[in-house]
Amino acid sequence: MTAGELAQMINGEQWLIVNGSSSSKCDLTVVPMNGWKRSMWWEDTGLTWVQHLRIFRIPFTTIFAVLTGLLGELGTANQGIGYTLPFELVGAPGLTGTLLLAI
């Protein structure tokens, strides 16, 4: 889901809260992106990756962050932040490959 699609959903479902009222809509215009397809990965766009945070060193780190980030937020596992492969590794006390495959 793109940021524009999310904004349209929030507006359409009237999830905005204005002055205590949750049934508010805003005047929203989402400008479609030219040349973009949902099937594209970052490399397909032809754009240069800008490392905006030290831990997001390559485009795929953003995908790994979505996949493993919740585990870190729940406090159930460490997802490698502070190591050379942030979000690309998952570890926890007592976690083995066999146990992970059984889940």
Side-chain angles (χ1 to χ4, degrees):
M1 179 174 274
T2 66
E5 290 168 337
L6 180 60
Q8 288 174 325
M9 183 176 77
I10 291 169
N11 202 39
E13 296 293 327
Q14 298 180 350
W15 292 343
L16 297 173
I17 298 174
V18 179
N19 298 327
S21 172
S22 63
S23 60
S24 300
K25 282 182 137 183
C26 69
D27 183 17
L28 176 67
T29 301
V30 175
V31 179
M33 295 182 283
N34 289 328
W36 179 82
K37 296 180 206 129
R38 187 169 301 283
S39 62
M40 289 178 149
W41 292 96
W42 181 263
E43 291 79 14
D44 299 331
T45 67
L47 300 171
T48 302
W49 175 255
V50 176
Q51 186 178 356
H52 57 286
L53 291 173
R54 189 171 44 91
I55 61 174
F56 290 103
R57 57 184 181 76
I58 60 172
F60 271 103
T61 304
T62 58
I63 305 292
F64 297 135
V66 171
L67 298 174
T68 64
L70 184 60
L71 296 173
E73 291 299 319
L74 294 173
T76 58
N78 181 306
Q79 68 273 43
I81 296 175
Y83 185 63
T84 57
L85 301 169
F87 302 109
E88 296 179 42
L89 303 172
V90 175
L95 181 64
T96 65
T98 304
L99 179 62
L100 191 58
L101 286 173
I103 296 175

